Amino acid sequence: MAAGDRTVLQFNTPSSASLSAKVHPLVIFNICDCYVRRPDQAERVIGTLLGSVLPDGTVDIRNSYAVPHTESAEQVALDIEYHHNMLVSHQKVNPKEVIVGWYSTGLGVTGGSALIQDFYSREVPNPIHLTVDTGFRNGEGTVKAFVSVNLALGDRQLAAQFQEIPLDLCMVEAERVGFDILKKTAVDKLPNDLEGMEVTMGRLLALIDDVYKYVDDVVEGRVPADNNIGRFIAETVASLPKLSPPAFDKLMNDSLQDQLLLLYLSSIARTQLGLAEKLNTAAQIL
């Protein structure tokens, strides 16, 4: 057979080979909440991801909502009317949020994922598939993102293959403390404000140690210098206010005392509400 008569089996890759995504913590919390509230007969939760595509091509996932579905070994049925009604309601509040993909609970993709991916491919080009392991199979809640790549034989499409893409969890430090607790399989107690601050300060000191070690290695010639990292470190140091140690200690102590005062006032309000409720109950009985 001549070389030109051969049928080539190939992957039709997405338009952006360096596709990546970042997800906000609200999306993860929404998915976990929907999983807890799922019907008794449902094994997993499926829903729509909302967000936007940034100028650099990164998919920014900012919101989500669950979509009712029924699933069997042979087919998956989505409530498309509910999906479209929820999309219209969300876009009335934030018109800039569009469909960027869909999510499901569980570890990795399943057999029915290709059918759902095909539906969302008609809603938006190259949708993101986000998976959240609410079963903690690896000892923590694993979050992954995938895109589908079509396998074609000549001009005929045969199947779709899911490929994992880089996923960034963008959150502030206060959100990260809560997310780290959510990832664990068991927690003795929720940390209070002081314990959360202690964890945050420990991470900050660890990052400062890493930066100090990197700068020392560059100065000693053990690692090559990176201009981008050096510029970022210089900008970070320049953005810090110049405070003397006594002024910094006073600032920290004042902030700590403000937080303690808020905790004290909230405790007093809680106690007052409890007493008022008990007095009201006693008055009704008498």
Side-chain angles (χ1 to χ4, degrees):
M1 181 182 295
D5 297 335
R6 295 176 182 174
T7 302
V8 180
L9 185 67
Q10 63 182 358
F11 286 105
N12 295 329
T13 58
S15 58
S16 177
S18 59
L19 186 64
S20 62
K22 64 178 182 178
V23 59
H24 293 255
L26 173 64
V27 178
I28 307 299
F29 298 149
N30 280 344
I31 295 174
C32 293
D33 181 66
C34 292
Y35 180 77
V36 173
R37 300 171 184 269
R38 74 191 188 281
D40 295 336
Q41 67 275 13
E43 295 183 359
R44 66 170 179 167
V45 177
I46 294 173
T48 302
L49 299 174
L50 300 176
S52 61
V53 180
L54 301 180
D56 60 354
T58 303
V59 179
D60 186 21
I61 306 172
R62 295 193 297 267
N63 207 343
S64 66
Y65 59 86
V67 177
H69 77 287
T70 57
E71 187 173 5
S72 64
E74 295 82 14
Q75 64 180 2
V76 179
L78 294 176
D79 191 339
I80 299 178
E81 182 179 359
Y82 177 89
H83 158 67
H84 287 154
N85 290 337
M86 286 294 294
L87 176 61
V88 171
S89 300
H90 275 272
Q91 289 187 333
K92 287 181 180 178
V93 179
N94 193 343
K96 295 183 179 180
E97 288 186 352
V98 298
I99 298 177
V100 295
W102 65 285
Y103 71 82
S104 67
T105 57
L107 184 61
V109 298
T110 61
S113 298
L115 299 175
I116 307 174
Q117 183 76 5
D118 181 65
F119 166 73
Y120 279 94
S121 296
R122 297 192 294 268
E123 298 284 311
V124 59
N126 197 24
I128 300 292
H129 176 31
L130 187 74
T131 62
V132 180
D133 180 21
T134 52
F136 295 90
R137 293 180 178 88
N138 293 333
E140 64 177 17
T142 305
V143 183
K144 295 183 179 180
F146 301 87
V147 294
S148 63
V149 179
N150 295 327
L151 176 62
L153 181 61
D155 296 333
R156 185 177 62 176
Q157 180 177 335
L158 299 180
Q161 181 188 34
F162 286 92
Q163 292 185 353
E164 187 175 356
I165 62 173
L167 179 66
D168 181 27
L169 299 176
C170 51
M171 58 188 74
V172 298
E173 192 61 34
E175 294 170 334
R176 187 171 295 277
V177 172
F179 180 75
D180 290 343
I181 296 174
L182 186 65
K183 289 197 305 181
K184 299 178 181 178
T185 55
V187 178
D188 295 333
K189 66 173 184 176
L190 294 177
N192 54 36
D193 292 342
L194 293 179
E195 292 173 342
M197 182 181 295
E198 182 180 1
V199 173
T200 302
M201 294 302 297
R203 287 178 177 170
L204 178 60
L205 291 175
L207 291 175
I208 293 176
D209 290 338
D210 291 340
V211 172
Y212 179 82
K213 182 177 181 302
Y214 171 78
V215 173
D216 187 59
D217 290 340
V218 171
V219 172
E220 296 295 332
R222 290 188 288 266
V223 296
D226 189 317
N227 293 333
N228 293 328
I229 297 178
R231 190 178 298 109
F232 180 77
I233 294 175
E235 292 175 354
T236 303
V237 173
S239 64
L240 297 176
K242 295 182 179 180
L243 296 175
S244 62
F248 182 78
D249 290 341
K250 184 179 184 302
L251 182 64
M252 287 295 298
N253 290 332
D254 291 343
S255 177
L256 182 60
Q257 290 176 4
D258 291 341
Q259 291 192 15
L260 292 176
L261 179 60
L262 289 175
L263 289 174
Y264 179 70
L265 293 176
S266 63
S267 177
I268 292 178
R270 193 182 307 112
T271 303
Q272 183 179 5
L273 290 174
L275 288 175
E277 182 180 359
K278 291 184 181 297
L279 291 174
N280 186 31
T281 303
Q284 291 178 356
I285 294 175
L286 294 177

